[in-house]
Amino acid sequence: MSGFSFSGLGGGSDQANKKRSLLEVPTAPEQHNAPSNLSAPKFSFGSIGQSQNQNPPNTNAAPQAPNQSVGAGQPNQQQSGGIAKDSPAYFNTLLERGRKRAHPASMTTNGRLGQMPGLSFGLEDIARRAQEIGQRGRESFPTDGISQSNARSLLGASGVQPGKALKDFQKLGVDVQDRPMSTETFEPDNAKFIRGIQQRGRDAMFRESMDRVNREFDNFLEETLAINFDDQRQRIMEHFGLVPKSNGAGAQDDINNGSFSRSTKKSSNIFAESAGKRSMFNRSGLEKSLLGTPGLGSSTTRFFGDEQASSGVGSTARFTEDRFIREKEAQFAEKTKRLSQARDQRAVFPILAEFASVEENASGHEPKEIKDAYHALREITGEKTSIKDASNPKAIKERQYKSEYLDDIQDSRRSLAWRKRVIDGSRRYLEKSFYQQLQEIVDRNPKEAQVGGQPTVTNIIRAYIRVRAGRRDLAADNVPLQQTGDHGDYCWILIFYLLRCGFVNEAAEYVQKDEAFKSTDRRFIAYMREYAANESRLLSKKTQSAVNGEYQQRTQFGPDNSVDPYRMACYMIIGRCDLVNRNLNIQSTTEDWMWLQFALARELDRAQISSDDLFGLDQICETVQEIGQKHFTKGSEGSAGGYGIYFMLQILAGMFEHAVKYLHEFAPASAVHFAISLAYYGMLRASNPSVAGNELREFNMSQLWARANKKSVTETTTGLPQINFAALLAYYTPPFRTADPLAAVSYLSLICLNSDITGALGTIQTDCCHEALRQLCLETREYALLLGDIRTDGSRIPGAIEKNSRLIQLDTHQDFLQAVTVQAAALADERGQIADAILLYHLSEDFDSVVQVLNRALADAVTIDLGTSPVDVQPLKPREQDSTAAADLANSSLSLVTSTSAVSLGQTFLNLYNRNAMISAKISPANRSNITSLLRMLLARQKLESNPTNPDYAGALDVIADLNILPVNANGAMPLIRSSATAFQGLDPLIARASGSVLLWTLTCISRQNERLEEVGVWEGNGAGGNEQKESLKKRLAQMARDLMVWAGMEEYILFWSKKFTE
C-alpha cells in the first residue's frame, strides 16, 4: 500500500477530482504511521447532494473503489432511483461495499489502466496490513532485554549516559505545555486592545510564576522525601550491630547522608549560594554567622566541603574512633588555653613540642607522619624545649619568621634565607630520624651487630651494616660491593650511611685516616675533604667538573654490575651529579629518596649559576606536586591509606598551605592545630575571610594569571597560596563552644595572630576576630564569664575576653568596650534580652542606656492587664564562682542573683546608681524621672494585686495621687484639671502610654472603694465612721471620677486640635 497514489485513478474533469479529494482516504505514508488498531474512517457527507447536479458521472472513467470515495458512486444510485441517503439501507450498502472485493478484470477499461494496481482492500484488510507493517518494524528493532543492554553498552562506550539523557528529555516536557492558541480578533478600540495585551501579559506572568512554584515545590519534595526506606532500614540495623556492615557504597552513603532520616540526595552547598550573605563586621547578627551553627554535627568539614576518609570499619569501631578524636580535641583545647596564657605573659611556649605530645599520646589510627611532621617543623624553626626564658637570644618567639615567609619577592635576601632554612631543616630532620632508627635496629640485634669497642658513630654504622649484610638486603646478589681492610669493611656503604646520617666530618675523617681506603680511590679523598670544609656543601667548579666527569664515565661507559652502586651514590651526593633523575640505584626507602632531594638542593644566586646546576626548593615543590597529582589525588588508592606520606612531603618542602588543606580532608583537628602552630611562628599566609568564602585555600590574582599563561606558580613574584585561617578556626569551635566558651575564646583569639600583616589584610583579620568574639558572646549568652560581671557595689569583674585584650589587639579598656561590648549590647537590646542588655550596657559604661532598657521593661509591665502575670525577664547565666569565696557577700554579683522580675532589676539598679554620684551624673534627668514614675506605678499595681481577696484600693489611690499625672486631688478645680491636661502633652511617650492603664486602675479603685463603703462604711486607714464621714467620702470619690472624666475629655480635645494644627 505504500506505493499507492489515489490522485490519478479517475479520468473525470478537474472539478470532479477536486470534489473527490474531499472524501479520499489518507495516503499511504499517513496509513503507515497510523496505529495498528484502525477504526472506520469518518466520511463527510456534506457534498454528496451537491455532486448530483454539478458532477454527472463520467461513463468513461474507471469504476472507483468504494473505499476511495463515496461521492463517486452516489450520483449513480440516485439517478437510477436507488436507495435514498436517509434510509438505513443506504449505510448498510456503504458498509457492504467496504467488505466486497473488486475483481481485477472489472477494473480494466483500457490497457493502460489495467496495468495499474487496483483498490481491492477493505477496512479489515487495511487494519491487518497495518498490523503486519508494525510487526515487521518491531522485528527489525527488537526491544528485548539483551538488545537494550547492548544499546546501553554502546551508548556508554560513546560517552552517552542513557539514564541522564532520559531525565533531561523528561525535563523538557515540564515547560512545554499544550495550551490552546488564543484566537485574536481585530479590535478597533485602542483602549480595549491595550487592555487585552495587558491581560495576556498578566496571564503569562501568572502562568510562569505558577510553573516556577510548581517546579520548586517538586524539587523540594524530591530532595526531602526521596528516601530509600530499604537502605535506611539496612543502615539502621548496621548502626546498632544487628547485621554485618556492608563495605563499599554503603559506607560511603553513611558519610554522605550523616543521619538515617535525611534524604539520599545531596542538597546544594548553602555557603556557595549565600556567599554574599556572610556576616560582615559591624552588621546585624541576624545574618549568617561567622562561627557557623553550634553542635556536634557542625565543623570545618561541613563548611569547607571536605569528607573524612572511611576505613569501612563497623559502627562500634567508628564510635571508638570518635571517642579518641574527642579526647584528642580536649587535650588540644588545654594546650591552646596554656598557649593563650603564655602569650599574655609574653613567655616562651614551644607550641610544636606541645602539640606533638598530644599526637603522640592520642589513641586512634592516624599515621605516624603527623607527629613526625611536628618534629620536622622543630628542625626547620629551631624550637628548643630547654629554652624557657624569652630574653634568651636563641628563644623562638611569636611570629619570628613572618618577615621571611611572607616576603613575596622571589630573589630577595629574606626569601633566599627562608628557602635555605627549609632545605637545611628538612635534611637535618631526615638525617636525625634515620640515625635514630639505625640505633634502634642495632640495639635490637646486638648479636648480629657486634658493636664492640668504643661506640663511636662510625662503629655504630659499621654494626648497622653488619646487621643488614646478615639479612642480605644491602644489594642484589649479583651487585658487587667493594670491601677493604682486614675486617672487610664495606667502605662505600659506610661512607654513604655516614652522609645519610649527617656525619659529613666523620665521613671525611674516615676516608683520610683509613689506609685501606687510600689505596682504593685517592681522588675521592680530596673531593670529600673539600665538601666537608665548605659549610654550604659546595665544590669549586674545577672539582665539581672532575666529579661529574668521573661519575658520567663510570655510569655510562662502565660495564654492567662492575661498579659499586654505593660508590655512585656517594659521587652523586658530593658532586650533585645527575640532577635530572635524582634517584639512588640502591636498596632505599621513601625517606632515603626524600633525603636525597634535600641533600642535592642548594639555594644560590641564580645570576651566578648555570641552568644545569639549578635545583632548589622550588624544584622540590614541583616534584612533590607531581607526585601528589599522580598518586595522592582524592579517591585514589594512595590517598585513602597513605595520606600521611604526602602530607609529610608537603611539610618538608615548605608547602604549608597545601599541607593543611590536604590534611584537613582526613584529620580536621590535626590540620587546624598544624595551622595554629604555623601561624604562631608566622609561617602561614592568611586570606581575606570575606573574599575566600568556603574555600580553605585560595590563590591570589598573580598566581591565577600565571596559571592562565601556563607559567609555573613559583616563577611569579606573588603567586603564593593562602589559607582562610579565620574561618578555619571559627568553624572548628561549634562542637564545644557552648560547653566550654573559654576554650572557644582561646581559639578565636588566635585569629589576631595575623593582625601584624601589613596593609588592609591585617586590619581585616583583627575585625574578623572581634566579630567572632562578639557572635560567641551573643550565641552562648555567657556575658558574665566572657565580658565581665558587676559586684553589688557596682565595681567590675573582668571577663575572659577582657583578660585577653592584648592578644586581640585591644590595648585600652575603651577599645575593648567599643569593639565587643557595645555592639553586643545593642544587638541584645534588639533581641529583647533585657537582662543581657542591662549587663552589657553597664559593662560598656553606658548607664543612661541601662535606664532606658529598664524603662521599656517597666512600661511593658505596667500596661499588662490587672491579674495577668508580667513576662519574666530571662535571667543571666551565672559566672563560675570560686568555692573559697562562695559565702563571701562581697563576691556576689549581678549574674549570681538570678532575678526574673523587671521591678526588682529596676529597683536594684536605681539604688546602685543613686549611691554612686559619678554614675548618677551620667544619667539624664528625663530617664531618672521616668524610672521613678514607672516604679511608683508598679507599686500601685502591687497594692491592687498583692491580696486578691482584699485589695488595697485606698493605698493605690494614694500612690497614684503622688504621681501628679492624673488630677485625682483637683476637687473640681478646673484650673488644676486644665493644667494637668496641658502637662500631660509634655510627658515622655513611655509614661503617656502607661498612664492609660493607670487611668483605668484609678477608675476601678474609685468604683470598688465606693462599693466597699456601701458595705463597710469605713475608708481603711482613716479610723472614723458614721454617716457624715461616709457621705463625705462618697462625695469625694464621685468628684474624683468627675474630674477624671473632664480631664479625659480635655485630653481628647487637645489631641484633636493638635493633630489638626500639625496637619
Side-chain angles (χ1 to χ4, degrees):
M1 291 184 61
S2 60
F4 292 176
S5 177
F6 298 99
S7 59
L9 293 180
S13 62
D14 295 339
Q15 187 176 4
N17 291 334
K18 186 181 297 185
K19 289 294 181 181
R20 222 170 22 247
S21 64
L22 296 175
L23 300 176
E24 289 176 355
V25 296
T27 59
E30 295 180 353
Q31 292 181 3
H32 178 73
N33 296 329
S36 59
N37 297 328
L38 294 176
S39 59
K42 296 182 180 179
F43 298 99
S44 177
F45 299 100
S47 59
I48 295 178
Q50 298 176 2
S51 62
Q52 179 179 357
N53 300 325
Q54 297 177 2
N55 291 324
N58 188 0
T59 57
N60 297 326
Q64 308 227 354
N67 288 0
Q68 175 186 355
S69 177
V70 178
Q74 185 65 22
N76 294 333
Q77 292 180 3
Q78 295 197 5
Q79 286 176 3
S80 61
I83 304 171
K85 67 178 180 178
D86 295 336
S87 63
Y90 170 71
F91 297 100
N92 295 333
T93 305
L94 293 178
L95 294 176
E96 185 63 25
R97 285 185 179 182
R99 298 189 183 97
K100 288 182 177 180
R101 306 292 189 271
H103 196 273
S106 65
M107 300 180 61
T108 304
T109 57
N110 52 45
R112 182 175 61 85
L113 290 179
Q115 299 175 359
M116 298 183 64
L119 289 178
S120 60
F121 297 101
L123 299 179
E124 293 85 352
D125 297 329
I126 294 175
R128 185 175 62 258
R129 293 297 297 272
Q131 290 178 356
E132 293 176 356
I133 293 172
Q135 183 64 27
R136 287 199 300 270
R138 286 193 294 271
E139 292 176 355
S140 300
F141 301 97
T143 59
D144 55 342
I146 298 177
S147 301
Q148 291 180 3
S149 178
N150 295 335
R152 293 192 186 96
S153 302
L154 180 61
L155 292 174
S158 303
V160 180
Q161 300 178 2
K164 185 176 182 301
L166 178 60
K167 292 182 179 179
D168 294 339
F169 285 127
Q170 292 175 350
K171 290 180 180 179
L172 294 176
V174 176
D175 296 328
V176 182
Q177 298 181 357
D178 296 333
R179 298 192 181 97
M181 298 180 61
S182 59
T183 57
E184 299 183 1
T185 58
F186 176 73
E187 180 59 54
D189 190 354
N190 292 334
K192 292 183 180 180
F193 179 73
I194 293 175
R195 283 197 301 269
I197 294 177
Q198 292 176 349
Q199 183 63 32
R200 289 193 297 272
R202 285 193 294 267
D203 294 342
M205 293 174 60
F206 178 76
R207 286 194 301 270
E208 182 180 357
S209 300
M210 291 301 298
D211 294 342
R212 184 175 63 254
V213 170
N214 292 333
R215 288 194 303 270
E216 293 176 355
F217 180 73
D218 294 339
N219 294 334
F220 173 76
L221 288 181
E222 185 177 2
E223 291 180 359
T224 55
L225 300 181
I227 299 176
N228 191 330
F229 291 98
D230 294 335
D231 293 343
Q232 295 290 347
R233 183 174 61 254
Q234 180 69 17
R235 275 192 289 270
I236 292 173
M237 296 177 70
E238 292 174 358
H239 172 75
F240 291 104
L242 301 178
V243 296
K245 184 172 179 61
S246 59
N247 296 326
Q252 188 66 25
D253 290 342
D254 291 341
I255 299 173
N256 295 337
N257 293 338
S259 66
F260 300 128
S261 60
R262 293 182 183 175
S263 172
T264 56
K265 290 183 175 292
K266 289 185 178 181
S267 59
S268 57
N269 191 343
I270 61 175
F271 295 102
E273 293 176 358
S274 59
K277 300 180 180 179
R278 179 175 301 282
S279 176
M280 299 299 292
F281 316 122
N282 301 326
R283 290 188 179 182
S284 173
L286 296 179
E287 297 181 1
K288 187 175 292 296
S289 174
L290 181 67
L291 302 178
T293 305
L296 294 176
S298 302
S299 63
T300 54
T301 56
R302 288 182 177 271
F303 179 69
F304 296 114
D306 296 332
E307 296 178 358
Q308 298 184 18
S310 175
S311 57
V313 296
S315 58
T316 305
R318 186 171 62 252
F319 291 154
T320 305
E321 187 71 18
D322 293 342
R323 180 172 60 85
F324 291 155
I325 293 175
R326 289 193 297 269
E327 291 176 355
K328 185 172 71 172
E329 290 176 349
Q331 297 178 19
F332 272 131
E334 292 299 326
K335 298 292 184 181
T336 307
K337 291 179 182 178
R338 290 182 51 196
L339 172 63
S340 298
Q341 296 174 0
R343 292 180 61 208
D344 187 54
Q345 299 171 3
R346 291 183 171 86
V348 176
F349 186 80
I351 184 172
L352 295 173
E354 295 291 340
F355 284 174
S357 64
V358 175
E359 293 288 353
E360 291 173 355
N361 298 329
S363 304
H365 299 86
E366 293 183 353
K368 68 179 184 63
E369 286 83 3
I370 294 180
K371 57 178 176 292
D372 293 341
Y374 280 110
H375 298 299
L377 288 176
R378 292 185 63 192
E379 289 294 335
I380 294 174
T381 59
E383 180 186 273
K384 305 293 183 182
T385 56
S386 58
I387 300 176
K388 304 293 185 182
D389 189 5
S391 60
N392 192 326
K394 295 183 179 180
I396 308 301
K397 302 178 179 60
E398 178 182 333
R399 306 288 290 176
Q400 177 153 342
Y401 301 107
K402 180 203 68 172
S403 58
E404 295 180 2
Y405 186 80
L406 300 182
D407 192 353
D408 294 338
I409 302 176
Q410 182 77 4
D411 296 329
S412 66
R413 180 180 56 83
R414 291 183 297 188
S415 297
L416 185 63
W418 171 253
R419 292 196 296 272
K420 287 182 178 180
R421 175 178 292 276
V422 173
I423 292 174
D424 295 341
S426 299
R427 188 189 67 252
R428 283 196 307 270
Y429 164 74
L430 292 171
E431 292 170 351
K432 291 181 179 180
S433 176
F434 177 76
Y435 184 67
Q436 183 179 1
Q437 296 175 9
L438 182 147
Q439 286 181 314
E440 292 176 357
I441 293 175
V442 171
D443 294 340
R444 287 197 305 266
N445 302 275
K447 186 178 295 185
E448 294 84 353
Q450 299 177 3
V451 178
Q454 186 178 0
T456 61
V457 171
T458 305
N459 290 334
I460 292 174
I461 293 179
R462 280 195 181 102
Y464 172 74
I465 295 174
R466 293 190 194 101
V467 175
R468 293 281 303 275
R471 297 177 181 177
R472 298 181 178 274
D473 60 352
L474 288 173
D477 295 337
N478 58 346
V479 175
L481 298 177
Q482 187 173 357
Q483 292 178 286
T484 59
D486 298 335
H487 300 287
D489 287 341
Y490 293 96
C491 57
W492 294 110
I493 298 178
L494 181 59
I495 297 172
F496 171 79
Y497 280 115
L498 282 172
L499 296 175
R500 176 69 178 85
C501 296
F503 301 117
V504 179
N505 295 326
E506 285 77 0
E509 182 181 357
Y510 168 75
V511 298
Q512 293 179 24
K513 293 183 178 180
D514 191 272
E515 297 297 334
F517 184 80
K518 290 181 180 179
S519 62
T520 302
D521 193 342
R522 291 186 176 274
R523 289 191 298 269
F524 185 80
I525 298 175
Y527 303 156
M528 191 69 217
R529 185 188 305 113
E530 184 177 351
Y531 181 81
N534 193 310
E535 294 182 357
S536 300
R537 302 292 184 256
L538 291 173
L539 302 176
S540 62
K541 292 184 178 180
K542 180 179 179 180
T543 305
Q544 187 171 357
S545 299
V547 174
N548 286 332
E550 189 171 349
Y551 177 85
Q552 297 295 336
Q553 182 180 2
R554 292 181 182 274
T555 54
Q556 294 182 6
F557 303 107
D560 295 338
N561 297 328
S562 63
V563 182
D564 191 336
Y566 286 93
R567 182 176 188 173
M568 293 296 97
C570 293
Y571 270 87
M572 176 186 289
I573 296 168
I574 297 300
R576 300 181 70 232
C577 305
D578 198 6
L579 293 179
V580 178
N581 294 324
R582 303 189 305 277
N583 289 317
L584 295 171
N585 295 324
I586 60 175
Q587 298 289 342
S588 59
T589 61
T590 304
E591 289 78 7
D592 295 334
W593 179 88
M594 293 163 60
W595 170 79
L596 179 64
Q597 312 307 308
F598 291 99
L600 297 177
R602 300 290 187 275
E603 284 295 337
L604 304 172
D605 188 0
R606 301 190 178 187
Q608 300 177 1
I609 61 175
S610 62
S611 59
D612 296 335
D613 296 334
L614 180 61
F615 180 73
L617 186 62
D618 294 343
Q619 285 69 35
I620 293 177
C621 292
E622 292 177 1
T623 304
V624 171
Q625 287 181 346
E626 292 176 1
I627 293 173
Q629 294 173 359
K630 185 176 181 180
H631 300 286
F632 295 97
T633 56
K634 197 169 185 179
S636 62
E637 296 180 0
S639 177
Y643 66 91
I645 298 175
Y646 186 57
F647 170 72
M648 188 66 179
L649 279 173
Q650 291 175 319
I651 289 293
L652 292 174
M655 303 166 60
F656 299 141
E657 291 81 9
H658 298 80
V660 171
K661 173 63 173 66
Y662 181 74
L663 182 61
H664 191 273
E665 300 176 1
F666 304 94
S670 299
V672 169
H673 292 87
F674 257 105
I676 292 173
S677 60
L678 292 169
Y680 179 75
Y681 286 130
M683 301 186 301
L684 199 72
R685 294 179 181 86
S687 62
N688 189 342
S690 60
V691 176
N694 61 337
E695 290 294 332
L696 182 60
R697 180 172 57 86
E698 66 171 9
F699 299 89
N700 52 25
M701 293 304 297
S702 60
Q703 185 166 14
L704 296 178
W705 177 86
R707 285 187 170 185
N709 290 273
K710 298 182 180 180
K711 291 186 178 181
S712 174
V713 173
T714 56
E715 293 178 0
T716 61
T717 56
T718 58
L720 301 170
Q722 296 176 335
I723 279 287
N724 193 348
F725 185 68
L728 183 67
L729 293 182
Y731 275 80
Y732 175 73
T733 59
F736 61 85
R737 65 170 177 251
T738 302
D740 192 0
L742 294 179
V745 171
S746 300
Y747 280 100
L748 296 177
S749 300
L750 294 172
I751 298 176
C752 278
L753 283 173
N754 298 294
S755 299
D756 56 355
I757 300 177
T758 57
L761 184 58
T763 305
I764 291 174
Q765 298 292 324
T766 304
D767 295 340
C768 185
C769 177
H770 297 169
E771 171 73 7
L773 291 172
R774 184 178 67 86
Q775 292 182 8
L776 175 67
C777 296
L778 295 174
E779 179 185 302
T780 60
R781 294 187 64 248
E782 296 284 356
Y783 301 115
L785 180 64
L786 301 180
L787 298 179
D789 205 350
I790 310 169
R791 293 191 179 93
T792 54
D793 58 354
S795 59
R796 292 172 50 89
I797 302 175
I801 297 178
E802 188 173 359
K803 292 178 182 178
N804 296 330
S805 59
R806 192 186 67 83
L807 305 182
I808 57 177
Q809 305 300 317
L810 297 176
D811 297 330
T812 63
H813 176 68
Q814 191 64 28
D815 293 339
F816 168 75
L817 298 180
Q818 293 296 330
V820 180
T821 312
V822 173
Q823 299 175 13
L827 194 52
D829 191 10
E830 291 179 3
R831 294 179 175 179
Q833 299 171 351
I834 298 172
D836 297 342
I838 290 172
L839 175 62
L840 293 174
Y841 276 128
H842 183 90
L843 293 175
S844 61
E845 299 180 359
D846 190 358
F847 306 111
D848 195 49
S849 296
V850 174
V851 179
Q852 288 182 359
V853 174
L854 287 171
N855 287 341
R856 289 197 297 270
L858 295 174
D860 293 337
V862 170
T863 54
I864 297 176
D865 295 338
L866 289 175
T868 304
S869 299
V871 179
D872 293 336
V873 176
Q874 187 177 8
L876 290 168
K877 289 187 177 181
R879 63 180 174 86
E880 296 180 358
Q881 190 179 14
D882 296 337
S883 59
T884 58
D888 189 2
L889 184 61
N891 288 278
S892 180
S893 62
L894 176 64
S895 65
L896 299 179
V897 182
T898 57
S899 176
T900 60
S901 174
V903 179
S904 61
L905 280 176
Q907 193 65 46
T908 300
F909 275 90
L910 183 61
N911 296 334
L912 177 64
Y913 291 168
N914 287 335
R915 291 196 303 266
N916 194 323
M918 295 180 61
I919 296 177
S920 181
K922 297 180 180 180
I923 301 174
S924 63
N927 287 332
R928 185 191 304 276
S929 175
N930 290 343
I931 192 172
T932 303
S933 300
L934 290 170
L935 288 174
R936 297 292 295 173
M937 293 178 184
L938 290 172
L939 178 60
R941 181 190 181 102
Q942 183 181 3
K943 290 182 177 296
L944 295 175
E945 295 180 339
S946 59
N947 190 2
T949 59
N950 188 18
D952 188 5
Y953 297 119
L957 285 174
D958 292 338
V959 174
I960 293 172
D962 294 339
L963 291 173
N964 292 325
I965 297 176
L966 302 178
V968 179
N969 296 327
N971 293 326
M974 292 302 299
L976 295 177
I977 298 174
R978 190 177 294 107
S979 62
S980 177
T982 304
F984 184 81
Q985 306 302 318
L987 293 178
D988 189 90
L990 285 176
I991 303 299
R993 180 167 62 90
S995 299
S997 300
V998 176
L999 177 61
L1000 295 178
W1001 298 350
T1002 306
L1003 294 175
T1004 301
C1005 291
I1006 293 172
S1007 176
R1008 296 294 185 269
Q1009 187 64 28
N1010 191 24
E1011 294 176 358
R1012 183 173 296 178
L1013 288 176
E1014 292 292 340
E1015 297 175 359
V1016 180
V1018 178
W1019 189 324
E1020 293 82 345
N1022 291 340
N1027 293 330
E1028 294 181 0
Q1029 187 176 7
K1030 177 180 178 180
E1031 293 298 328
S1032 64
L1033 292 177
K1034 293 176 63 176
K1035 289 181 180 180
R1036 183 182 175 185
L1037 293 173
Q1039 187 61 46
M1040 286 183 184
R1042 285 193 294 271
D1043 293 343
L1044 292 174
M1045 297 300 294
V1046 173
W1047 179 85
M1050 288 184 177
E1051 289 297 334
E1052 184 179 0
Y1053 178 80
I1054 293 174
L1055 290 174
F1056 174 77
W1057 283 107
S1058 64
K1059 185 183 295 185
K1060 286 293 185 181
F1061 288 135
T1062 303
E1063 293 175 354

